[in-house]
Amino acid sequence: MATHRMPAEKRKKQIVEVALGVVDKYGLHGATMARVARGAGVTQAALYTHFKNREQILLAVLDTIYEEIFRIQEGARNKPVIEGLREATNVYSRFVGGRRTGGHAYLLLEFVTGSREHGLREALGRHQLAATRQLADIIEEGKDRGDIPEHVDSEQLAWMVTGWSWALDVAQLMGLRSSWHPNVSVELLDRILDGIDGRPDSVGAVLS
Amino acid sequence: MATHRMPAEKRKKQIVEVALGVVDKYGLHGATMARVARGAGVTQAALYTHFKNREQILLAVLDTIYEEIFRIQEGARNKPVIEGLREATNVYSRFVGGRRTGGHAYLLLEFVTGSREHGLREALGRHQLAATRQLADIIEEGKDRGDIPEHVDSEQLAWMVTGWSWALDVAQLMGLRSSWHPNVSVELLDRILDGIDGRPDSVGAVLS
Amino acid sequence: MATHRMPAEKRKKQIVEVALGVVDKYGLHGATMARVARGAGVTQAALYTHFKNREQILLAVLDTIYEEIFRIQEGARNKPVIEGLREATNVYSRFVGGRRTGGHAYLLLEFVTGSREHGLREALGRHQLAATRQLADIIEEGKDRGDIPEHVDSEQLAWMVTGWSWALDVAQLMGLRSSWHPNVSVELLDRILDGIDGRPDSVGAVLS
Amino acid sequence: MATHRMPAEKRKKQIVEVALGVVDKYGLHGATMARVARGAGVTQAALYTHFKNREQILLAVLDTIYEEIFRIQEGARNKPVIEGLREATNVYSRFVGGRRTGGHAYLLLEFVTGSREHGLREALGRHQLAATRQLADIIEEGKDRGDIPEHVDSEQLAWMVTGWSWALDVAQLMGLRSSWHPNVSVELLDRILDGIDGRPDSVGAVLS
DNA sequence: AATGAATGAGTTTTCATTCAT
DNA sequence: TATGAATGAAAACTCATTCAT
């Protein structure tokens, strides 16, 4: 009976949050307008007051996910590169590991496969490019500070770390948490990062 | 109105092949009975002559995909471990890279996210476990032959290589083939495999 | 393309009415969503705006039918029992006899056989129990008023009258209106009711 | 592997028997060709070797059911009418009561409601007419033997007994066996039969 | 006498979307 | 800013039936 009116901005945010939860619970395809509307406590028609169509909602959800990724990665800035990356991936790891911790980063995989139709795919690529560029930037800054050798290819390293996060996501979604021991993840990251640090003469040589 | 009769076995295979193509083109969710039927040149009802339901078709597609993965991995057997893994991943890489090369292994990602509702998820986990076990076995055989040191954890290595393939799959599905240079993939694999042999003495030394 | 909007309550009622007519014409199994929708002048999808599924519509139809039965039986209350029952059964008889008189009570037989799969069966039993209980109550009241002897088993009598109505229904649905002369029906009822009234010394004795 | 060939006549009978069981278990509508074929151990196509279509099978089932009814009623012939009818209805009662006793007489109700489409309805009426005529005949013979008074209307009595059996069937199908005590059934029959002999003088007197 | 492979018409249900109010 | 009532297209699946072999 209480009026369910809400300032547009607030409602919009609420809808996106609800939608994100719905994608988390039912997958991208299972994120129907009905479920989102129910979750938001409005009618389906109301969703169209705030978004042009379903795709726009999903796009907003994707934005939210990448905002989180950006935030996580930003945590690595202004720290010794290796340490920074380790911390960031640690955070990421915890997010992915526990659905209920509020992290939804692995949901991006939903978009990877689910976004064939719609303009989602293009947006996805754009976002990921930007995210990896951010990572590469942070690494570059590290190089400037002398944290790591000049010869390290920042972009390449950034992509490898990104690849690592993807692998983690897949393991999570496959429900292989038990087989894919945490140490697999840790070990894999170790191998990626080990190549970098102090060993310009050994590994570095090879990398070039 | 030409009759489209075909021996059951053959038709079954044809349907699965068509279905695989449809999953490739439209995603798991987009793999509708209508599309599969059209592709196979039969009516939807005919599909039910050969499969109990949609899930069974999809399950058969998943089988096909893993058969491909098994075949690729089998190529690494009875070779020096590192070399074998490199070759196998190379093959995998080429398959993933080119849609039209006939490889569909990367489609497994479709099942990763798309199989929430169905019994597909369980099948998926089972298959992946078996596949990684196969890889670990091959590595164990290498240890027996003295290819690589005893201290290497075969299972862990197998999972890492698997993780690598997942990352490759994601890059492919994200449409990031250009950004995710082949060298990123190669480099990542290098780091995984480099860790193996030289240790504990020196990685670099061995690699050089 | 004229808009066919209608307040929900009204539409709901209309749908149920249409559905009842469809059951009358095509039987319970023949009461498809397509026919109901067409009859109501809406699309099939619209039916789902008002009812969760087909079963709910059918349940509403069943309710309507029993409402009619209750109403008919209620007409026997506060009258000398025998007379009351006679009048009520008379009304029932007329309803059953003429399809176009607007009575649909006999349709309950459709539900008797047609409700194997659905949750209709349970609802059916519940309704019929209540209906017969109503009849027994009315008879009890008659006993209190001294209309009929105490020794009469109200419940048993209620069931017998109910059985009589069933026989009438079957005759109707079998299309045996001509053979099953009205007098058969009347005679059968006579025999049921004759047992009751003034003859405590003759029939009554036997009944005890 | 064993040849499933069978002489046509035998197969035909087998199919009808299976079909009857299927109608018993799933209702008339649930009696699909697939189920009948499976039950008979042949393909659906084979059914068409023996019957023109589904309707013909169902018609044969209906025949079987009425054969049973005829057989039961025949048991009343050449006996004192009242006694004979009592025995026959007793047998009928037991059949209806226990599904697994092999009796399927109550299944005729399935045909009552389920046979709207098809020519089943017409056949049903024809059969029932014949069955009631048989009953009336038997009663007539009783009159000739002097068992019961001349003034009794044989046809009317036959229809009443038939009506009684219908009520029994409905109670059975409604799952009201517990409420519809056997005594209701017995009592109802008593009232029907009681009317016969004593009259016009006194029912009670004769019965006592 | 029976099969194997197929079909066409139909079933219930779900979904994103619209638009007058 | 929201709702209430609708729609059209599509989904998975079922059924009786056919016909060459």
Side-chain angles (χ1 to χ4, degrees), chain A residues 23-30 99 106-116 169-170 172-175, chain B residues 27-29 106-118 120-121 124 170 173:
Chain A
V23 174
D24 190 8
K25 194 161 174 192
Y26 302 99
L28 192 70
H29 170 61
R99 281 191 179 219
Y106 74 93
L107 284 186
L108 128 198
L109 264 203
E110 286 288 342
F111 287 84
V112 171
T113 56
S115 61
R116 306 192 159 242
D169 292 349
V170 174
Q172 160 75 12
L173 268 171
M174 263 204 183
Chain B
L28 190 72
H29 171 62
Y106 73 95
L107 284 185
L108 127 198
L109 263 205
E110 287 288 343
F111 287 83
V112 172
T113 54
S115 60
R116 302 188 163 240
E117 309 138 84
H118 314 77
L120 296 177
R121 165 146 286 178
L124 179 63
V170 174
L173 273 170

Side-chain angles (χ1 to χ4, degrees), chain B residues 161-196:
Chain B
V161 172
T162 299
W164 167 88
S165 75
W166 288 341
L168 201 64
D169 294 347
V170 174
Q172 159 73 15
L173 273 170
M174 264 202 183
L176 293 171
R177 267 167 296 179
S178 47
S179 320
W180 174 274
H181 309 274
N183 13 346
V184 173
S185 169
V186 169
E187 176 69 20
L188 180 51
L189 186 66
D190 276 352
R191 308 242 169 151
I192 291 169
L193 298 182
D194 282 3
I196 298 178

Side-chain angles (χ1 to χ4, degrees), chain D residues 2-177:
Chain D
T3 318
H4 284 300
R5 295 212 146 213
M6 221 184 247
E9 257 336 283
K10 211 175 158 190
R11 179 65 86 193
K12 240 183 137 160
K13 255 176 204 148
Q14 185 221 7
I15 289 172
V16 175
E17 256 161 55
V18 167
L20 196 144
V22 172
V23 174
D24 190 8
K25 196 161 173 192
Y26 302 100
L28 191 71
H29 170 60
T32 66
M33 300 303 266
R35 286 209 249 247
V36 173
R38 211 177 304 130
V42 296
T43 60
Q44 293 193 47
L47 298 179
Y48 290 85
T49 311
H50 303 284
F51 296 89
K52 194 175 169 280
N53 52 31
R54 180 172 176 266
E55 191 187 325
Q56 296 304 311
I57 297 183
L58 262 12
L59 234 32
V61 170
L62 189 59
D63 284 352
T64 304
I65 293 175
Y66 269 101
E67 270 168 31
E68 199 171 333
I69 292 178
F70 277 105
R71 206 170 332 113
I72 291 174
Q73 295 189 159
E74 194 59 29
R77 206 185 289 274
N78 295 326
K79 291 184 188 156
V81 167
I82 307 271
E83 197 182 315
L85 289 179
R86 261 182 215 288
E87 272 177 31
T89 49
N90 240 330
V91 174
Y92 190 87
S93 210
R94 272 202 306 281
F95 270 165
V96 168
R99 280 190 179 219
R100 299 285 153 226
T101 19
H104 303 278
Y106 76 93
L107 284 186
L108 128 196
L109 264 204
E110 288 287 342
F111 286 84
V112 172
T113 55
S115 60
R116 306 194 158 237
E117 328 143 65
H118 315 103
L120 294 177
R121 165 145 288 179
E122 194 227 357
L124 179 64
R126 222 181 328 112
H127 273 110
Q128 185 57 61
L129 238 49
T132 312
R133 205 169 297 130
Q134 180 202 29
L135 217 47
D137 271 3
I138 292 174
I139 295 167
E140 278 294 311
E141 289 176 19
K143 278 209 278 196
D144 292 351
R145 281 196 310 270
D147 283 357
I148 53 168
E150 275 296 327
H151 67 78
V152 169
D153 182 330
S154 307
E155 210 190 332
Q156 196 176 59
L157 180 56
W159 276 116
M160 284 192 293
V161 172
T162 300
W164 167 88
S165 76
W166 289 341
L168 201 64
D169 292 347
V170 175
Q172 159 74 14
L173 269 171
M174 263 204 186
L176 293 172
R177 265 167 296 182

Side-chain angles (χ1 to χ4, degrees), chain B:
Chain B
M1 302 302 161
T3 325
H4 287 303
R5 303 197 121 240
M6 217 183 254
E9 250 348 272
K10 213 175 157 187
R11 180 65 85 194
K12 242 182 135 160
K13 256 175 205 149
Q14 185 222 8
I15 290 172
V16 175
E17 257 161 54
V18 168
L20 197 146
V22 172
V23 172
D24 192 3
K25 194 161 175 193
Y26 302 99
L28 190 72
H29 171 62
T32 67
M33 299 306 266
R35 286 209 249 248
V36 173
R38 212 176 305 131
V42 295
T43 60
Q44 292 192 45
L47 299 180
Y48 291 87
T49 311
H50 302 285
F51 294 89
K52 199 178 169 287
N53 51 33
R54 181 173 173 266
E55 194 185 322
Q56 296 304 310
I57 297 184
L58 261 14
L59 234 32
V61 169
L62 188 61
D63 283 352
T64 304
I65 292 175
Y66 269 101
E67 270 167 31
E68 197 174 333
I69 293 178
F70 276 104
R71 208 174 329 111
I72 293 174
Q73 296 189 158
E74 194 59 29
R77 208 185 286 274
N78 294 326
K79 291 182 187 157
V81 168
I82 308 273
E83 196 183 315
L85 289 179
R86 260 182 217 289
E87 273 177 31
T89 49
N90 240 329
V91 174
Y92 191 87
S93 212
R94 272 201 306 281
F95 272 165
V96 169
R99 278 189 182 224
R100 297 288 153 225
T101 18
H104 300 277
Y106 73 95
L107 284 185
L108 127 198
L109 263 205
E110 287 288 343
F111 287 83
V112 172
T113 54
S115 60
R116 302 188 163 240
E117 309 138 84
H118 314 77
L120 296 177
R121 165 146 286 178
E122 195 228 356
L124 179 63
R126 222 179 332 110
H127 273 111
Q128 185 57 62
L129 239 48
T132 312
R133 206 171 296 131
Q134 182 201 27
L135 217 47
D137 271 3
I138 292 175
I139 295 168
E140 279 292 309
E141 288 176 20
K143 279 208 276 194
D144 291 350
R145 281 195 310 271
D147 284 358
I148 52 166
E150 276 296 324
H151 67 78
V152 170
D153 183 331
S154 308
E155 213 190 328
Q156 197 178 58
L157 181 56
W159 277 115
M160 283 193 295
V161 172
T162 299
W164 167 88
S165 75
W166 288 341
L168 201 64
D169 294 347
V170 174
Q172 159 73 15
L173 273 170
M174 264 202 183
L176 293 171
R177 267 167 296 179
S178 47
S179 320
W180 174 274
H181 309 274
N183 13 346
V184 173
S185 169
V186 169
E187 176 69 20
L188 180 51
L189 186 66
D190 276 352
R191 308 242 169 151
I192 291 169
L193 298 182
D194 282 3
I196 298 178
D197 40 359
R199 300 266 192 99
D201 301 341
S202 151
V203 181
V206 171
L207 282 169
S208 58

